[in-house]
Amino acid sequence: MLITHLLLAALTYISPVKYEVSLAGNFGEPRPNHFHGGVDVKTQRVEGKPIHAVAEGYVSRVTVSQTGYGNSVYVRHPDGHTTVYAHLQRFSPAIEAKVKKWQYAHHKWEADVTFRATDVPVSKGQVIALSGNTGSSMGPHLHLEVHETDSWDMYDPLGFIPSLVNDHKAPETHAFMAYPMPGKGVFCGRTAKMKFKPAELDSLRLEAWGEVGFGIHADDYMEDSPNYYGVRRTVLNVDDKEVFRSDVNGIPFQTNRMVNSWGDYDEFSKNKHWFMKSFIEPGNQLPVLHADGRRGVVLFDQERDYHIRYELSDYYGNISTCRFVVRGRRMEIPQRKLDPGDVILDHNAEKYETDGFKMILPSGALADDVVLHPVDSAGIYSRSYHMASKSLPLIVPAQISIRLGKEVSDVNKLFIASDGKFTGGKFNEGWVEAHVYDIGKKLTVGYDDIPPVIERVNDDRPTVIILEVKDADTGIESIDAAVDGQFVLFAPIGRSSRYICNLKNTPVKPTSSVRTLQFMACDKRGNQCAYQTKIKY
Ligand SMILES: [Zn+2]
């Protein structure tokens, strides 16, 4: 990889916007199921800011979606990197025209268009789009990513545009967590994890015996911004020997879900704070984590003081340190305590079965052993299965099968519901099978033979048609529309269930006569609803 980089042209990158920038989010911040893959550049609380290509290259891909990145542009650069600009309001006219052509050719608004190098070349600083708030965005901003083009590994954009922000503030530690290893360690006389704050260190007497891991809740800060950010580097030293180090950069895209193992997912679900562990769970392959032979878990096997020192730093090298002392004191290590009905699922387990429920776990699905507490209850189309009382996210999805408990007229309408939500699936010899990412949710078989409902919403503009399209059980899979048999593109309004079409922006020529508008919606189990109305255009 290094040689490739030396051979490729060196490029300098510039800011994607023409004003002073502060960030609403930085690269690598932990989020449920993924690392934040880029930086969130504030757009002065409004949409419509011109977005410039950060370096020369060509537009290689454009997406249009109601979720995720929304409207996004990918620019491929000659140095082996690709930059991604997401949540855009609209594209440059050249890109917009090509996207519209694709949408009409595919009879589809949601688009994923790939381009050749000669289609839309861009120079450094060229305006490629206007900023927006599309897709899964909580407010106007630009989400900017940098990837290595071949591997699609995610890189900190600050490494490419260091002058983007001013930052002389070091990260701050809010709290620590001690994690006694089940059946192998105790901390302050307890086998449960224990939280403590830097301000409490003087008054606390910390004692441990056996194997104990540590974690830290910390945030980074930058001047001129009230926001807080993820911490680029953490180092844990015990008695001046490094036992763990994290450096959040160059994250392989497919390891994103391992964030749930590095971070304390359970704690985040309850208290909305990410405690990042300073030890590596046995199945966690994240290359940004480095530890000693004990995976970063500290062994307290001598009756003496252990000196713990944390060092945290950001991209710009602003450093903060935190120290505390843990006294090694010999004590009884209790066996792992299980409640009646609890089952330990080993992190290497390949399957789990109970009557009417099967689960196949591919290798690498679990980062660590988990405790299941399987409970089943009556349901309409099958029994409902709840494997744990809390969320248990997987790195790779498990295949689950639930035995169908009721005769149905069309097996193609069956699906698996996870906490009541459609999650796909298909019927196979008396069972319904699906892939799920969270085995802690309530899983049951659902059935949908009810088509979507379509309703006209009035609009004062004579050429504009707005329709409300709803589907109760599984959601809308596709829509199609035509005027006198000629395809017209309807676009969803924001993230709502309404679709809009301005006939002036379609290839249909006005005639001032009465025409037939046909609109068809299909849900995720193939149930269709056709709507027809007369329009004067
Ligand atoms: Zn973002």
Side-chain angles (χ1 to χ4, degrees):
M1 212 48 82
L2 185 66
I3 295 161
T4 336
H5 277 219
L6 291 173
L7 290 173
L8 293 166
L11 289 183
T12 52
Y13 288 56
I14 55 162
S15 171
V17 292
K18 294 282 179 243
Y19 53 87
E20 232 169 86
V21 161
S22 69
L23 301 184
N26 76 340
F27 175 80
E29 282 174 13
R31 308 246 167 115
N33 306 322
H34 71 283
F35 290 93
H36 187 230
V39 291
D40 288 342
V41 176
K42 291 185 190 175
T43 51
Q44 304 178 324
R45 300 171 192 270
V46 293
E47 299 187 28
K49 293 279 168 194
I51 300 301
H52 306 260
V54 296
E56 68 186 75
Y58 67 90
V59 174
S60 57
R61 184 182 176 193
V62 169
T63 69
V64 175
S65 172
Q66 228 182 342
T67 59
Y69 289 14
N71 295 334
S72 74
V73 173
Y74 293 58
V75 177
R76 190 168 169 161
H77 306 289
D79 67 347
H81 294 95
T82 295
T83 47
V84 183
Y85 312 75
H87 309 309
L88 304 167
Q89 183 192 62
R90 58 188 310 166
F91 306 118
S92 71
I95 300 172
E96 191 111 21
K98 287 188 158 59
V99 171
K100 196 168 175 186
K101 200 174 156 195
W102 187 98
Q103 289 170 320
Y104 269 85
H106 290 78
H107 285 204
K108 212 172 145 202
W109 173 82
E110 187 159 75
D112 189 345
V113 193
T114 47
F115 294 101
R116 285 166 307 190
T118 50
D119 289 343
V120 191
V122 292
S123 55
K124 176 152 98 176
Q126 187 177 326
V127 175
I128 50 172
L130 297 181
S131 71
N133 186 28
T134 56
S136 309
S137 173
M138 309 296 272
H141 75 284
L142 169 72
H143 173 92
L144 172 70
E145 294 184 1
V146 179
H147 294 259
E148 188 178 64
T149 303
D150 290 341
S151 64
W152 209 243
D153 289 357
M154 310 182 282
Y155 284 87
D156 188 344
L158 293 181
F160 293 78
I161 323 167
S163 60
L164 191 64
V165 291
N166 284 314
D167 180 7
H168 298 91
K169 286 190 174 180
E172 281 176 31
T173 301
H174 308 305
F176 305 97
M177 189 82 86
Y179 296 87
M181 295 295 122
K184 292 178 180 165
V186 264
F187 191 82
C188 292
R190 298 156 49 142
T191 56
K193 66 184 178 188
M194 185 182 135
K195 202 184 294 183
F196 51 100
K197 295 189 169 163
E200 299 167 342
L201 288 171
D202 288 340
S203 57
L204 276 176
R205 200 182 143 89
L206 304 175
E207 291 179 339
W209 195 249
E211 294 180 21
V212 178
F214 292 94
I216 191 165
H217 169 217
D219 287 309
D220 190 22
Y221 299 88
M222 297 182 193
E223 47 253 58
D224 315 319
S225 171
N227 297 74
Y228 54 88
Y229 310 95
V231 178
R232 170 71 182 253
R233 295 183 201 90
T234 62
V235 180
L236 172 63
N237 287 289
V238 179
D239 298 330
D240 285 327
K241 201 171 151 280
E242 181 178 313
V243 300
F244 174 89
R245 168 186 293 264
S246 62
D247 185 356
V248 186
N249 196 28
I251 306 171
F253 192 74
Q254 66 277 11
T255 62
N256 248 329
R257 284 179 180 269
M258 292 179 190
V259 73
N260 299 334
S261 150
W262 177 24
D264 185 336
Y265 183 86
D266 197 34
E267 185 69 21
F268 177 79
S269 307
K270 286 178 188 140
N271 299 320
K272 298 287 166 262
H273 292 311
W274 279 109
F275 278 79
M276 305 312 286
K277 294 168 194 163
S278 310
F279 59 97
I280 307 173
E281 292 185 335
N284 191 334
Q285 309 288 329
L286 264 177
V288 304
L289 311 181
H290 310 275
D292 62 1
R294 303 195 153 275
R295 296 184 286 106
V297 175
V298 184
L299 177 64
F300 295 90
D301 61 351
Q302 292 170 31
E303 297 204 289
R304 62 170 177 89
D305 282 350
Y306 289 73
H307 296 268
I308 315 284
R309 183 167 63 90
Y310 266 106
E311 191 180 285
L312 277 57
S313 54
D314 60 19
Y315 168 77
Y316 295 96
N318 301 302
I319 297 178
S320 66
T321 55
C322 249
R323 298 157 202 273
F324 56 90
V325 174
V326 179
R327 178 90 190 162
R329 199 165 74 84
R330 188 178 297 277
M331 56 185 119
E332 184 87 15
I333 298 173
Q335 284 211 325
R336 183 175 198 157
K337 212 176 93 221
L338 293 176
D339 290 330
D342 279 357
V343 179
I344 295 179
L345 193 63
D346 187 90
H347 71 276
N348 287 316
E350 289 169 355
K351 60 178 181 183
Y352 176 79
E353 278 181 52
T354 68
D355 185 38
F357 179 87
K358 289 190 256 188
M359 175 164 78
I360 298 170
L361 295 148
S363 142
L366 286 167
D368 204 355
D369 304 350
V370 293
V371 179
L372 300 183
H373 188 87
V375 175
D376 63 311
S377 55
I380 302 170
Y381 296 97
S382 74
R383 292 192 72 75
S384 297
Y385 296 88
H386 214 163
M387 289 296 121
S389 52
K390 62 177 186 186
S391 177
L392 291 177
L394 302 175
I395 297 165
V396 189
Q399 189 200 298
I400 60 137
S401 309
I402 298 177
R403 188 190 287 135
L404 185 63
K406 186 183 174 182
E407 208 161 295
V408 295
S409 51
D410 184 356
V411 293
N412 295 314
K413 307 289 183 200
L414 292 163
F415 62 92
I416 299 277
S418 165
D419 273 359
K421 282 202 196 103
F422 173 80
T423 182
K426 65 176 199 307
F427 179 75
N428 184 14
E429 295 182 5
W431 295 72
V432 183
E433 299 169 348
H435 284 89
V436 299
Y437 267 114
D438 193 332
I439 54 172
K441 300 245 154 88
K442 190 174 185 177
L443 300 164
T444 193
V445 171
Y447 187 80
D448 181 14
D449 60 354
I450 302 165
V453 177
I454 303 170
E455 231 175 278
R456 177 92 185 248
V457 179
N458 283 330
D459 192 275
D460 295 340
R461 295 165 290 179
T463 63
V464 174
I465 300 153
I466 301 175
L467 298 171
E468 175 106 46
V469 185
K470 285 189 166 166
D471 187 74
D473 291 317
T474 58
I476 301 300
E477 173 73 24
S478 63
I479 60 158
D480 203 358
V483 172
D484 289 345
Q486 186 179 6
F487 172 76
V488 290
L489 188 67
F490 271 76
I493 302 177
R495 288 174 281 273
S496 77
S497 54
R498 290 181 175 188
Y499 293 81
I500 186 166
C501 176
N502 189 340
L503 293 170
K504 276 189 184 163
N505 301 332
T506 70
V508 177
K509 299 265 178 302
T511 60
S512 299
S513 57
V514 175
R515 329 274 290 261
T516 304
L517 170 84
Q518 284 174 304
F519 189 95
M520 198 273 295
C522 186
D523 71 13
K524 292 187 166 127
R525 289 293 92 159
N527 304 298
Q528 290 191 7
C529 174
Y531 171 88
Q532 193 167 308
T533 188
K534 296 285 176 204
I535 52 165
K536 200 164 176 225
Y537 179 62

